[in-house]
Amino acid sequence: METTRLTVVSTRLAIAVDREPSGQWTITPFSGSLVTALGPVLRDRGGQWIGWLGTRDTMEETNLRDLMDQGSRLTGYALKPVNLTEEDIRQYSFGFSNQILWPLVHDLPSRCNFDPAYWTVYERVNAKFAEVVAANTCEEDYVWVHDYQLIMVAHHLKTMGIRRQTGFFLHIPFPPLDGFVKLPWRFQVLNALLSYDLVGFQTMRDRRNFIDCVRMLMPKMRVVGHGQIARCLTPDHEVLIGAFPISIDFKQFAEAAATSEVEDQAWIIHANLPERQLILGVDRLDYTKGIPLRLQAFANALERYPELHGKMTLIQVVLPSREEVPEYESLKREIERMVGEINGRFNQVGWSPIQYIYRSLSRMELLAYYRTCEIALVTPLKDGMNLVAKEFCACSIENNGVLILSEFAGAAAQLHNGAILVNPFDIEGVADAIRRACCMESDNRHRRMEKMRRSIQRHDIFHWVNAFLRTGIHKDLDQFPRIEFFVPSPVQAGHER
Ligand code: GDG
């Protein structure tokens, strides 16, 4: 069947909706890599994005219609909202998604709260998404569903008797068999994933884990093929299973990092922290990002290598996230306590070892930090990919940055040749890596960074989208028919998650 239109489905629409004190609604489009990559094809080719509005404030039907029209004019493509109640959000998003699937796939089952009510609501909300997909698409559409919050969408479409070509991409890791079997709904989740026509993972490791689970838990399914794409033969269809490492818009990052605005800001940051190497950590507030262990490793480096005192500063940026979940609030307090303790212990006149920033930086500020910092310390305990690692490299336009990267981040599979790989649980190992990065000769830095930048440039976000679509429907981004009917307005920056 000829596919003519792309429909993207994700938990959140690609816009943020806010209500001002005056009662007026405002819209800000997001500007993450997914939006950058998919926006043009949705915009020029009559595509659409389906998702939740992201606000818990109730809105009258006419307001919602106006707002969606306004949002569509701003983004350039149709936006189709899924209405979720307060209860839906609590149990589906904060519950099943963030308190069961998230810790489980990041190998932290002891953090899971296997409340059966969460599963019921997760199912119900996925069915709501499927209803909106069914109502707004036709058989020629390609429906591309994103991430762990929406695993059941294709399954519900099938149950409703709706035939669509569907693809699913999991942005987070897929756990090994012994972790996955702990999930009380393991069969339902595997079955649901096998309802898609294509299931994409970040790395070959994730794909292997998934195939192991299918083979062990569903012995009647046959999985064949060892190359880039494997196939699972289910009783009613064939599911393609592949690894598609997500990336960034390399060109956009590299060009933006070279602008005079970013350069000036980068200069100011370094001028205020003179004669020392700046080490950057940028993470969403999340226990999977390994921030406390990283701080311990940094303190360990200061303890064991006093020659580094006054010669390096760690700038740790934490992006507020999931603040409604009590665990995240206590993680924030733990990080603040550790930063205070380390600064209190090692502080000297004119030198504080850590600068801590707890807020969302503007895109320009973020780029300036990427550009000016000599070292990036990216040490998640486990991560689907980690885009910060790639963004740092893209902005290291003088090739002088050093990337210290956790071997448990998906990005390590691609960047292992240039990064200093570390085990984030090995405090002395990470401390040694910090020292090694600080002392690394310029030639070595250049060689390593050049390798990583070349690889990211070649495998950018557009390469990722094309690889997925080519596998799913034998099409590239630019093979969707062009329908020019929108004149997009300039967009403001925001971030996706
Ligand atoms: C999930 C998976 C996978 C951070 N601070 C600021 C800011 N950011 C932006 C970064 C980056 C994004 O947030 C974080 O992306 P990550 O990939 O590091 O992590 P998750 O949010 O956990 O994303 C992950 C990803 O999905 C994509 O598939 O790589 O493994 O967990 O883009 O730039 N942006 C702005 N200000 C900040 O302060 N503007």
Side-chain angles (χ1 to χ4, degrees), residues 102 171-172 202 246 282 284 289 319 359-361 366 370 383-388 391 495 497:
W102 180 266
H171 289 253
I172 60 178
Q202 295 274 25
I246 200 167
V282 176
R284 251 185 340 94
K289 301 293 180 186
L319 179 67
R359 66 182 167 85
S360 172
L361 301 178
L366 180 66
Y370 282 150
D383 217 331
M385 179 53 57
N386 197 295
L387 295 179
V388 168
E391 291 167 3
H495 52 81
R497 269 165 188 273

Side-chain angles (χ1 to χ4, degrees), residues 95-163:
F96 197 79
S97 304
N98 291 346
Q99 290 183 55
I100 296 181
L101 289 178
W102 180 266
L104 188 84
V105 307
H106 289 94
D107 299 341
L108 297 163
S110 59
R111 285 184 182 258
C112 292
N113 171 8
F114 291 112
D115 184 341
Y118 290 167
W119 168 252
T120 311
V121 179
Y122 182 80
E123 275 256 76
R124 191 175 73 212
V125 170
N126 271 249
K128 273 192 189 180
F129 273 82
E131 279 162 24
V132 178
V133 171
N136 291 286
T137 55
C138 57
E139 280 199 32
E140 294 80 42
D141 278 313
Y142 188 62
V143 179
W144 188 358
V145 180
H146 287 265
D147 229 357
Y148 62 107
Q149 299 93 343
L150 298 175
I151 287 174
M152 311 291 293
V153 171
H155 163 79
H156 284 294
L157 286 172
K158 284 202 166 153
T159 313
M160 290 155 62
I162 305 288
R163 277 170 52 108

Side-chain angles (χ1 to χ4, degrees), residues 12-14 30-36 49 171 494-497:
R12 291 283 304 270
L13 279 173
F30 288 152
S31 68
S33 294
L34 196 60
V35 181
T36 311
W49 199 303
H171 289 253
H495 52 81
E496 229 169 282
R497 269 165 188 273

Side-chain angles (χ1 to χ4, degrees), residues 368-402:
Y369 279 109
Y370 282 150
R371 166 109 196 245
T372 205
C373 290
E374 284 86 1
I375 299 164
L377 194 46
V378 182
T379 56
L381 308 181
K382 188 156 184 182
D383 217 331
M385 179 53 57
N386 197 295
L387 295 179
V388 168
K390 294 189 174 183
E391 291 167 3
F392 171 73
C393 294
C395 295
S396 186
I397 53 178
E398 278 105 12
N399 283 322
N400 60 349
V402 183

Side-chain angles (χ1 to χ4, degrees), residues 379-479:
T379 56
L381 308 181
K382 188 156 184 182
D383 217 331
M385 179 53 57
N386 197 295
L387 295 179
V388 168
K390 294 189 174 183
E391 291 167 3
F392 171 73
C393 294
C395 295
S396 186
I397 53 178
E398 278 105 12
N399 283 322
N400 60 349
V402 183
L403 174 64
I404 301 176
L405 179 61
S406 160
E407 54 196 23
F408 308 126
Q414 183 182 352
L415 304 179
H416 61 97
N417 281 334
I420 301 181
L421 288 192
V422 290
N423 169 0
F425 298 95
D426 175 3
I427 290 167
E428 290 196 342
V430 176
D432 290 347
I434 292 173
R435 179 162 169 270
R436 190 175 155 209
C438 282
C439 302
M440 193 181 281
E441 299 290 338
S442 156
D443 280 4
N444 198 0
R445 286 176 183 229
H446 275 72
R447 220 177 21 253
R448 286 163 167 269
M449 184 49 81
E450 233 167 21
K451 260 191 220 157
M452 293 192 283
R453 295 187 85 237
R454 255 202 314 273
S455 167
I456 302 166
Q457 185 170 24
R458 209 172 317 125
H459 299 106
D460 66 0
I461 187 78
F462 303 100
H463 178 275
W464 173 75
V465 176
N466 279 331
F468 193 92
L469 293 180
R470 250 181 244 144
T471 308
I473 45 175
H474 312 291
K475 270 193 170 198
D476 278 359
L477 268 179
D478 52 15
Q479 281 173 298

Side-chain angles (χ1 to χ4, degrees), residues 5-10 12-15 27 29 35 38-53 64-82 132-133 135-137 141-142 483-488:
R5 188 171 62 161
L6 180 62
T7 294
V8 172
V9 188
S10 67
R12 291 283 304 270
L13 279 173
I15 52 166
I27 297 186
V35 181
L38 295 173
V41 76
L42 297 180
R43 184 161 60 231
D44 304 339
R45 293 159 171 90
Q48 55 182 346
W49 199 303
I50 292 175
W52 173 53
L53 259 185
L64 180 63
R65 257 201 313 273
D66 285 353
L67 210 60
M68 287 303 94
D69 286 348
Q70 212 184 315
S72 295
R73 276 197 301 278
L74 208 58
T75 55
Y77 45 84
L79 301 170
K80 299 286 157 54
V82 179
V132 178
V133 171
N136 291 286
T137 55
D141 278 313
Y142 188 62
I483 305 168
E484 290 187 31
F485 63 95
F486 274 118
V487 181

